[in-house]
Amino acid sequence: MAGPSVHGQKNKPHKAGRQAGLSARQKHKSSKEVAPGHRHSIKSQQGFAVSSKQQRQQITKHHREVQREQALAEKRTPQPPRVVSLLPLSQDVDMPRLWAQLIGAGASEAPRAVSVEPGMDVDSEGVPPMVPTMVKLPGQSRSMIQLLPPPADLDNPLTAVDIARSAEVLLLVLPGNAKASQVDAGGLSSLAVLRLMGLPTLQVLVQGEAGASLKDRSAAKKRAQAAVASQIAGEHKVMTADSAADCQQVLRHLGEIHPSLPLWRRQRPALHLHSVHPSFNTADPSAHGSVVFRAYVRYLGLSVNQPLHILGCGDLNIDRIEVADEPVSSGHKPAVNGVQCMDMAGSGARVLAVADPAARQGVVRLNTPDPLAGEQTWPTTEELMEAEARGSSEGSKRKRRLPAGMSDYQAAWITEEEMQDMGDSGSEEEEEAAERQGGDAEPRFGEGPMDGAASMADLDEEDDQTDDMQDSEAAGEQSFAEFKRQRQAEQDDVEFPDEIDTPTDTPARDRFARYRGLKSWRSSPWDPREGLPQEYANTFAFENFKRAHKRAKAGAEVVSRDPNGAAPGSYVAVHLADVPADVALRLVQRVQAASQGSAAPVVAHGLLQHETKLSVLNFAVKKDSNFTETLPNKAELLFVTGLRSFTARPTYSTDDPNVDKHKLERFLHDKRQCVATIYGPIQYPPLPLLAFKITPDQPPQLAMAGTLRSCDPDRVVLKKIVLSGYPVKVHKKKAVVRWMFHNPEDVRWFKPLELWTKYGRRGRIKEPIGTHGAMKCMFDGVVQQRDAVCASLFKRSYPVWPGSLDFCQ
């Protein structure tokens, strides 16, 4: 009998481990070095070119010197003041006292360091107003920070969004009292929004009583660290802010922190507007004018040919960039990016760069379609002449159509005009006779039941009216009965997905004329360019989205070395061109409100290439766990991304990998990730998304959150409906099915469809029976009497066209 080796069995060799001899260990070491694709030893010749300890020390020293030079270069480079925002996590925190201590700690060594707007004097108790303030750090005359006051309404989650957009360092303030609540509901809501938007650098402060013992301070630190760790992962340094000395130590620590920001903020230039000066013709309020604002350039360089998006004002073009004097001297000269500045005639302003109309990207929202883009090659002149000659020769030989009862001799006395009038009257009589007889013959499956576009338009209008009724009901304020109805519809969609009842008053071939069947969801083709709506002609599409994103990022990074731009850290005056009067007024009001502390800072972001053009955006989203209401398809929501805020009505679809078709979801269900599709300006990932439901007289509610997936108009989203019937008579593989259709014409129309049952059988329609829609069906196996027979139909779904193309709110 043959042994195990004959059958291919190979036993594992014995491993001696620590008891192995010198030769075995050497053999094992050599096999590891020679084996292809194996990880080499750190000190082996094959892994590294360094073969001696002295060379390794030299390389380490070189790396250390390079890092040291980079740190020195960063210190020599002018940096804008760091934006530090305060966020109390509990109402038990005494924010006016902490604000006064921080301002006083910065002003103790530099009395002129506090920048207060005109008309904003300190109050009678000596407490400075809670407005954005520039503070010089203690002992560091060249370093400043910009302190932002805490938001007035922590119950509004949009205030946390403003903090995530503007703050570089976030001070989380917790009470030191053991009986106080560490994190209340407003703090939890703010931290949830900040986690979704991307957290800046965090610093935890504990506000205790002055003169507290060391034991009490240590216990307060531990409570604060545990409270923050339960909401934000990682270890965070906790500092106390009980006295003036503690606040000075906090400011020194803020000057030494290197802020770490989310990637979506670091890949675009940002400017926090300090002052705005509009210039308009007062005689014509509708005319466009120019606006000048001053701000620091942060993160990346700003190009003069680059469009800007200002929150609440929209996309605007830059006319020129000038070097401005800083409002508070920081010991550095204004950076001019190595370019010799010239003086404007009569103004003395140092111009850094002027926009080039040929190189400017411009604010382009809609694509201009070519009506002949889908036509074939235009015929040449010779082909047109040949066609004209052929038509004239055929026209001379064409036999005229004579009315009934008229001979050729009689027709010779009648002119062409009279013959045409007689032909038209005859055709009208034929149409009236056809209408009296009942219309045309029965159409085939897949063709329109009626001739002409008007009938299909009626079907489209009927289908759209059904969707619009659902949308209007979801957008309004829901009563208790409406809430129960929506909840029941969502439960029915979970238990019986995509099932609908066949209408009894309308033929199914008319009601579902826009639908079609699919043999296989995975392999059946669906052309993404077939039957597109007219709105798709106004959108832009990428040939390769990843390549375009890579080029856009590379172009933004080159701006820092571009002579036609402002370097990061420079304080500039940006002149905006062609600004509408209402936009300028709104911008001035927002900046004034921000300077008074009643609103968030106004931030302008430099847009990457193509980010002003309209396309179809796809976001990977998930419903928020705290949102208990139903979220139907195409319900109006407030979309908040890192760059923009606008209202949209998204369509939800499944997030299936490696497929070319995605099923439309009628509701956004709990704990289920979907893809939300909308029309919107092109944006590049990574970019967060927060969607809020706006209800009158109530704060916004976070409905869903996610990230940007892609900009792809060719993503096919199919709406699926399931028509169901029940077998009334069964004999092995044959069954008589009723209640799927209500007349034999519908049965013949949908005869090519493939049937399926809920117990896994597949079948087809053989023929109709009777006049009430019953049909004889054949299946691939024995059918049970309790089974349900279904047929699936699909049509492509498109997002809702936006009401406003400004995309700013």
Side-chain angles (χ1 to χ4, degrees):
M1 187 174 179
S5 61
V6 178
H7 302 285
Q9 177 179 347
K10 294 181 180 181
N11 297 327
K12 296 175 65 176
H14 174 68
K15 294 183 179 180
R18 294 183 178 181
Q19 305 300 328
L22 180 61
S23 61
R25 292 196 300 268
Q26 187 66 25
K27 181 179 179 181
H28 179 67
K29 181 179 179 181
S30 61
S31 63
K32 288 178 61 178
E33 293 177 355
V34 176
H38 201 281
R39 182 178 179 272
H40 297 283
S41 176
I42 295 178
K43 297 182 180 181
S44 63
Q45 292 283 349
Q46 291 83 357
F48 291 85
V50 181
S51 59
S52 64
K53 181 178 180 181
Q54 184 179 4
Q55 291 179 349
R56 293 197 302 271
Q57 290 178 348
Q58 291 177 355
I59 290 180
T60 304
K61 181 180 178 182
H62 175 69
H63 290 168
R64 186 167 58 248
E65 291 177 353
V66 169
Q67 293 178 357
R68 184 175 163 187
E69 291 177 358
Q70 291 178 354
L72 291 175
E74 183 179 355
K75 289 183 178 180
R76 297 190 186 101
T77 304
Q79 298 292 334
R82 292 173 184 169
V83 181
V84 181
S85 179
L86 297 175
L87 178 62
L89 298 183
S90 176
Q91 294 182 355
D92 296 329
V93 177
D94 188 2
M95 286 307 302
R97 181 168 68 91
L98 179 61
W99 180 265
Q101 289 178 345
L102 291 175
I103 298 299
S108 59
E109 297 185 8
R112 305 290 298 176
V114 180
S115 176
V116 182
E117 297 293 332
M120 296 184 183
D121 299 331
V122 297
D123 56 14
S124 59
E125 298 180 358
V127 178
M130 300 183 69
V131 297
T133 307
M134 290 286 187
V135 178
K136 286 186 177 179
L137 301 180
Q140 303 179 20
S141 60
R142 295 188 176 185
S143 299
M144 292 188 304
I145 62 172
Q146 181 181 2
L147 282 179
L148 299 182
D153 186 10
L154 289 178
D155 295 332
N156 190 350
L158 295 180
T159 58
V161 172
D162 297 330
I163 293 176
R165 283 171 170 167
S166 58
E168 298 176 346
V169 180
L170 181 60
L171 293 180
L172 301 179
V173 187
L174 289 86
N177 190 0
K179 298 181 180 180
S181 175
Q182 296 293 318
V183 183
D184 57 9
L188 291 176
S189 175
S190 300
L191 289 179
V193 172
L194 288 171
R195 285 196 302 267
L196 296 173
M197 290 288 293
L199 289 169
T201 301
L202 298 180
Q203 177 61 50
V204 182
L205 292 183
V206 178
Q207 185 189 37
E209 297 295 336
S213 63
L214 185 61
K215 182 178 179 180
D216 295 340
R217 292 170 58 137
S218 178
K221 283 185 177 182
K222 291 181 179 179
R223 287 192 300 268
Q225 190 170 9
V228 174
S230 63
Q231 301 297 326
I232 303 173
E235 296 182 0
H236 306 283
K237 185 175 181 179
V238 181
M239 303 182 68
T240 58
D242 301 341
S243 60
D246 294 337
C247 292
Q248 286 186 355
Q249 184 64 25
V250 170
L251 294 181
R252 293 191 190 96
H253 180 68
L254 293 177
E256 297 173 357
I257 289 180
H258 294 276
S260 177
L261 301 176
L263 180 59
W264 65 268
R265 292 182 58 181
R266 290 184 279 112
Q267 67 182 5
R268 296 174 179 86
L271 299 92
H272 295 193
L273 277 62
H274 292 170
S275 61
V276 177
H277 303 283
S279 175
F280 284 89
N281 184 9
T282 57
D284 188 5
S286 62
H288 292 201
S290 62
V291 173
V292 182
F293 69 85
R294 290 173 173 80
Y296 285 98
V297 180
R298 302 176 184 270
Y299 315 137
L300 291 181
L302 178 65
S303 175
V304 71
N305 299 318
Q306 187 177 13
L308 285 177
H309 177 77
I310 303 179
L311 294 174
C313 299
D315 302 338
L316 301 171
N317 285 322
I318 301 176
D319 182 40
R320 66 181 184 273
I321 300 177
E322 300 175 353
V323 178
D325 296 332
E326 299 187 28
V328 179
S329 177
S330 60
H332 295 290
K333 295 182 179 180
V336 294
N337 204 10
V339 181
Q340 183 67 29
C341 298
M342 57 182 177
D343 293 341
M344 294 292 290
S347 63
R350 294 169 294 176
V351 178
L352 184 61
V354 180
D356 183 7
R360 176 187 289 175
Q361 298 182 19
V363 180
V364 179
R365 185 72 74 206
L366 299 178
N367 183 20
T368 303
D370 185 5
L372 300 179
E375 298 293 334
Q376 298 180 355
T377 305
W378 191 258
T380 60
T381 306
E382 293 77 5
E383 293 175 346
L384 291 175
M385 294 177 63
E386 292 178 1
E388 185 178 357
R390 192 184 307 112
S392 60
S393 61
E394 292 178 356
S396 60
K397 300 178 181 179
R398 184 177 56 190
K399 185 177 181 180
R400 295 195 302 177
R401 184 179 177 182
L402 303 179
M406 182 178 294
S407 63
D408 295 340
Y409 178 78
Q410 293 173 337
W413 297 92
I414 301 176
T415 61
E416 288 290 338
E417 290 78 5
E418 295 175 349
M419 182 66 71
Q420 184 176 2
D421 296 339
M422 294 176 64
D424 294 340
S425 61
S427 61
E428 293 175 359
E429 292 174 359
E430 292 175 359
E431 291 177 0
E432 293 176 359
E435 292 176 359
R436 288 194 299 267
Q437 293 177 1
D440 299 336
E442 179 183 351
R444 295 176 296 173
F445 179 76
E447 298 179 353
M450 292 161 282
D451 189 14
S455 302
M456 293 302 299
D458 295 340
L459 296 176
D460 296 349
E461 183 179 0
E462 180 184 354
D463 201 5
D464 293 338
Q465 285 177 357
T466 304
D467 295 340
D468 292 339
M469 289 173 61
Q470 298 176 357
D471 299 340
S472 60
E473 292 173 355
E477 185 177 1
Q478 296 180 350
S479 60
F480 182 71
E482 180 67 17
F483 175 77
K484 290 181 63 177
R485 192 192 67 81
Q486 289 281 1
R487 180 66 68 184
Q488 184 64 33
E490 185 178 12
Q491 294 178 358
D492 293 343
D493 186 65
V494 174
E495 297 177 3
F496 308 101
D498 308 317
E499 290 192 19
I500 64 172
D501 296 331
T502 306
T504 57
D505 55 347
T506 304
R509 60 185 183 276
D510 297 344
R511 176 63 181 85
F512 307 120
R514 298 171 59 189
Y515 292 82
R516 69 177 73 172
L518 288 179
K519 179 68 176 177
S520 172
W521 175 267
R522 180 185 59 84
S523 59
S524 295
W526 193 293
D527 188 4
R529 304 294 177 88
E530 174 189 1
L532 296 178
Q534 186 63 31
E535 292 82 2
Y536 259 52
N538 298 323
T539 62
F540 292 85
F542 290 97
E543 183 179 355
N544 191 327
F545 180 70
K546 292 184 178 180
R547 182 175 59 191
H549 183 198
K550 189 175 181 180
R551 290 179 178 176
K553 290 195 300 183
E557 294 173 356
V558 172
V559 174
S560 301
R561 304 182 297 271
D562 187 6
N564 292 327
S570 57
Y571 189 76
V572 296
V574 180
H575 293 251
L576 301 177
D578 197 19
V579 181
D582 57 340
V583 174
L585 179 60
R586 189 162 60 247
L587 179 60
V588 171
Q589 293 175 352
R590 288 174 60 90
V591 172
Q592 289 179 354
S595 63
Q596 297 173 3
S598 59
V602 182
V603 182
H605 291 94
L607 300 179
L608 301 181
Q609 188 180 17
H610 307 304
E611 282 197 328
T612 62
K613 300 176 181 178
L614 188 71
S615 184
V616 179
L617 306 183
N618 301 309
F619 296 89
V621 298
K622 185 178 290 186
K623 188 177 179 180
D624 188 71
S625 58
N626 297 325
F627 189 76
T628 58
E629 300 181 15
T630 58
L631 202 57
N633 195 27
K634 298 181 182 179
E636 185 175 358
L637 298 173
L638 175 63
F639 271 48
V640 176
T641 65
L643 303 179
R644 303 176 184 269
S645 298
F646 55 92
T647 57
R649 301 170 65 188
T651 58
Y652 308 113
S653 59
T654 57
D655 189 11
D656 301 326
N658 302 326
V659 294
D660 59 345
K661 296 177 288 293
H662 306 272
K663 189 175 77 70
L664 180 74
E665 294 285 352
R666 289 174 172 80
F667 293 89
L668 184 61
H669 299 285
D670 297 334
K671 301 179 182 180
R672 187 182 301 180
Q673 180 166 324
C674 295
V675 175
T677 303
I678 62 170
Y679 288 107
I682 294 172
Q683 301 177 59
Y684 297 107
L687 201 64
L689 169 70
L690 278 71
F692 297 90
K693 183 177 180 180
I694 306 299
T695 306
D697 301 330
Q698 292 183 8
Q701 291 180 295
L702 180 61
M704 65 179 182
T707 58
L708 177 64
R709 177 66 60 84
S710 64
C711 299
D712 186 12
D714 294 336
R715 188 177 186 272
V716 178
V717 178
L718 300 181
K719 181 180 180 180
K720 177 184 177 181
I721 61 172
V722 177
L723 307 179
S724 58
Y726 298 92
V728 295
K729 185 178 181 181
V730 175
H731 178 68
K732 296 183 179 180
K733 298 182 180 181
K734 300 179 182 179
V736 177
V737 180
R738 290 192 60 184
W739 300 298
M740 182 178 289
F741 304 107
H742 302 290
N743 55 72
E745 289 79 9
D746 289 342
V747 176
R748 297 188 185 96
W749 178 274
F750 292 101
K751 188 176 181 180
L753 280 181
E754 182 183 15
L755 304 179
W756 55 275
T757 69
K758 294 189 176 182
Y759 280 85
R761 297 301 181 189
R762 297 282 175 175
R764 57 185 178 85
I765 301 174
K766 291 189 65 177
E767 59 182 358
I769 299 177
T771 60
H772 291 76
M775 57 186 179
K776 185 184 295 185
C777 304
M778 177 71 71
F779 296 91
D780 59 353
V782 178
V783 182
Q784 301 183 26
Q785 187 74 41
R786 59 180 178 177
D787 207 345
V789 182
C790 304
S792 300
L793 294 173
F794 305 89
K795 75 167 183 177
R796 187 170 179 183
S797 178
Y798 302 95
V800 181
W801 188 256
S804 175
L805 296 177
D806 295 335
F807 294 99
C808 62
Q809 185 170 346

